[in-house]
Every structure is written in structure tokens, then in C-alpha cells.
């Protein structure tokens, strides 16, 4: 009985997108593209690129704002954002954006999507990339 309870607990914690009132979910590149298109007219989606400024300068998703996950002011900068908006977070491959999503949840952000595969996946899907300024 203990083993079944433990397995159920792991399943609930591992697969539940809602924890402590926050909603977060990993999504695929095509789902992220649809999310962007679905929200482009009403402006409630914030696209957050958590790569370094140098990486951002090599191209980014249109409308993205760059806040470097490894930068000194990441937590302070992110803390100033509107926690009630919908956030799509991405990086190069999905590792930093996962960390950013977790940090944002602890800061009280309500709805966050992490794009698995990052900008590599975005480019592989042949989706448009805005050229950065070098």
C-alpha cells in the first residue's frame, strides 16, 4: 500500500501543471508558435529570451525581451515584470529556460510556458528568427 501511495504521489507531483496556484508547462516548438499566434493581437503574452546578450544578438523570436538567466540581475529584473501576464520562456536548448521557469514560479508568476528545444528547435522547425544587432 505504501508503494502505491508513493507512486501516486510522484505521478501527481511530476505531471501536474498547477502547483501552489501557479501554472507552468513545457511545450514543444510548434505549440509555442501557436501560442504566439493565438496571443499576438491581444498583447497578453510576454516572450522572454533568457540567453546571453551575445546569443540574443545572433537572432531571436520576434517580440522577445532578453534577460540573461546567468546575468547578475536576473532575479531583480524578472521580479519587476507583471506576474499576471502569460510568459513564454526560451533559451538555446531548453535548459536555462527550465531553470528560469522554476525561479519565476517561486517568485509568484501565474502562467509560464517553457519552450523545449529552445531557439535550436525553433530554427530546426524553420520558424522565423528576427536578426539581432551585432
Amino acid at each position: 500500500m505504501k508503494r502505491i501511495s508513493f507512486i501516486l504521489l510522484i505521478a501527481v507531483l511530476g505531471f501536474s501543471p498547477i502547483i501552489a496556484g501557479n501554472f507552468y508547462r513545457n511545450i514543444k516548438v510548434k505549440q509555442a508558435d501557436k501560442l504566439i499566434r493565438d496571443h499576438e493581437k491581444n498583447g497578453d503574452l510576454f516572450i522572454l529570451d533568457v540567453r546571453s546578450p551575445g546569443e540574443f544578438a545572433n537572432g531571436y523570436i520576434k517580440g522577445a525581451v532578453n534577460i540573461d538567466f546567468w546575468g547578475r540581475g536576473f532575479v531583480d529584473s524578472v521580479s519587476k515584470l507583471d506576474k499576471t501576464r502569460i510568459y513564454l520562456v526560451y533559451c538555446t536548448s531548453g535548459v536555462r529556460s527550465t531553470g528560469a521557469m522554476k525561479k519565476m514560479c517561486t517568485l509568484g508568476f501565474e502562467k509560464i510556458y517553457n519552450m523545449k528545444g529552445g531557439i535550436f528547435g525553433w530554427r530546426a522547425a524553420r520558424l522565423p528568427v528576427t536578426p539581432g544587432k551585432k
Side-chain angles (χ1 to χ4, degrees), residues 39-112:
H39 290 272
E40 66 188 344
K41 291 201 185 341
N42 60 20
D44 62 345
L45 179 68
F46 190 103
I47 305 170
L48 178 60
D49 183 320
V50 297
R51 298 176 299 152
S52 71
E55 291 170 305
F56 188 77
N58 286 322
Y60 54 90
I61 296 173
K62 181 181 176 186
V65 172
N66 181 226
I67 302 176
D68 184 356
F69 181 67
W70 295 121
R72 294 176 104 176
F74 178 78
V75 172
D76 288 338
S77 296
V78 168
S79 294
K80 295 174 185 171
L81 300 174
D82 181 353
K83 293 174 177 61
T84 64
R85 289 184 73 184
I86 301 167
Y87 287 84
L88 172 64
V89 183
Y90 76 94
C91 62
T92 300
S93 64
V95 176
R96 285 175 283 181
S97 57
T98 298
M101 179 178 67
K102 289 177 182 178
K103 176 55 76 178
M104 291 170 75
C105 279
T106 66
L107 294 171
F109 284 80
E110 296 176 7
K111 195 166 192 177
I112 311 160

